[in-house]
């Protein structure tokens, strides 16, 4: 009887290491923080007809996940160890771009409202990760500006050197590169 009493707790302790109730949380979660944002209490107003709509960009499969891609060479991609985005990079970039444009205070900015009739900014997030070949953080975006029947496209890019392929270096470099691209797009949109 004593053997059974000792065996059950030992078995439960052993199994506790095998059971997981959710995915393991990585050591680092990355987010994008705008370097330009509207001041607290600032307001803008307008109508749907003149609002600027920032749509969530599309992204290929390697960027449509919360892992941080590492481009090894032209054909091989890995992911940065123990590091994830807090949400999809395309959604993070959409919010960053909207905040950067809002900081200028000159127009009403709406996120993802396809019913609005004003200027729409959308596009495709081509890269937002670490390039092992150049040891740099890269953000590349193909923007589309639509105003009625007029459509214009432009590619934007920012490359920031990174000393080491670790989250504590890659995260801030990606934030810097994303803010640079968002500023370039805000200048282009006007």
């Amino acid at each position: 009887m004593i053997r059974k009493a000792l065996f059950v707790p030992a078995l439960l302790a052993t199994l506790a290491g095998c059971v997981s109730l959710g995915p393991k949380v990585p050591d680092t979660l990355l987010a994008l923080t705008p370097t330009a944002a509207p001041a607290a209490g600032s307001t803008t107003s307008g109508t749907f007809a003149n609002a600027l709509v920032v749509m969530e960009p599309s992204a290929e499969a390697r960027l449509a996940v919360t892992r941080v891609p590492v481009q090894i060479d032209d054909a091989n991609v890995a992911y940065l160890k123990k590091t994830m985005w807090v949400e999809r990079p395309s959604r993070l970039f959409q919010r960053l771009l909207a905040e950067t444009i809002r900081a200028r205070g000159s127009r009403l900015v709406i996120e993802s409202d396809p019913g609005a009739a004003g200027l729409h900014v959308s596009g495709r997030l081509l890269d937002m990760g670490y390039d092992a070949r150049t040891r740099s953080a890269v953000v590349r975006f193909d923007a589309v500006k639509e105003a009625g029947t007029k459509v214009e496209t432009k590619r934007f890019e920012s490359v920031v050197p990174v000393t080491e392929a670790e989250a504590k270096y890659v995260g801030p470099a990606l934030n810097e590169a994303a803010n640079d691209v968002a500023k370039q797009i805000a200048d282009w949109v006007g």
Side-chain angles (χ1 to χ4, degrees):
M1 186 69 165
I2 294 176
R3 273 183 145 170
K4 278 188 177 179
L6 294 175
F7 179 73
V8 172
L11 180 64
L12 289 175
T14 303
L15 289 176
C18 300
V19 176
S20 175
L21 299 176
K24 184 181 178 204
V25 177
D27 293 347
T28 303
L29 291 172
L30 300 179
L32 296 178
T33 306
T35 54
S42 63
T43 63
T44 56
S45 61
T47 64
F48 278 120
N50 66 8
L52 179 121
V53 181
V54 178
M55 304 296 291
E56 182 176 347
S58 64
E60 61 184 61
R62 73 183 177 88
L63 293 172
V65 296
T66 56
R67 299 186 70 194
V68 180
V70 175
Q71 193 70 43
I72 305 297
D73 56 36
D74 289 343
N76 293 293
V77 176
Y79 289 96
L80 199 59
K81 291 179 181 178
K82 301 179 181 180
T83 306
M84 293 178 76
W85 291 107
V86 294
E87 66 179 318
R88 288 185 328 271
S90 58
R91 182 73 176 119
L92 289 169
F93 188 75
Q94 175 197 19
R95 288 185 181 141
L96 178 72
L97 178 57
E99 279 297 291
T100 302
I101 296 169
R102 276 188 197 107
R104 295 171 182 241
S106 60
R107 63 178 2 146
L108 177 64
V109 178
I110 300 170
E111 295 174 43
S112 290
D113 188 349
L119 177 66
H120 283 68
V121 176
S122 61
R124 190 168 72 120
L125 189 59
L126 300 170
D127 206 349
M128 193 152 91
Y130 177 74
D131 189 326
R133 300 165 296 188
T134 61
R135 297 176 55 109
S136 57
V138 179
V139 175
R140 189 174 300 116
F141 186 74
D142 273 349
V144 178
K145 182 170 53 171
E146 298 176 68
T149 59
K150 184 180 178 189
V151 178
E152 190 177 344
T153 64
K154 187 171 182 181
R155 179 166 288 179
F156 297 92
E157 179 179 86
S158 182
V159 178
V160 176
V162 178
T163 57
E164 214 172 312
E166 290 184 22
K168 66 182 177 181
Y169 303 113
V170 173
L174 282 169
N175 193 63
E176 181 183 337
N179 272 282
D180 182 38
V181 169
K183 183 187 177 307
Q184 292 175 46
I185 297 168
D187 291 343
W188 178 62
V189 169

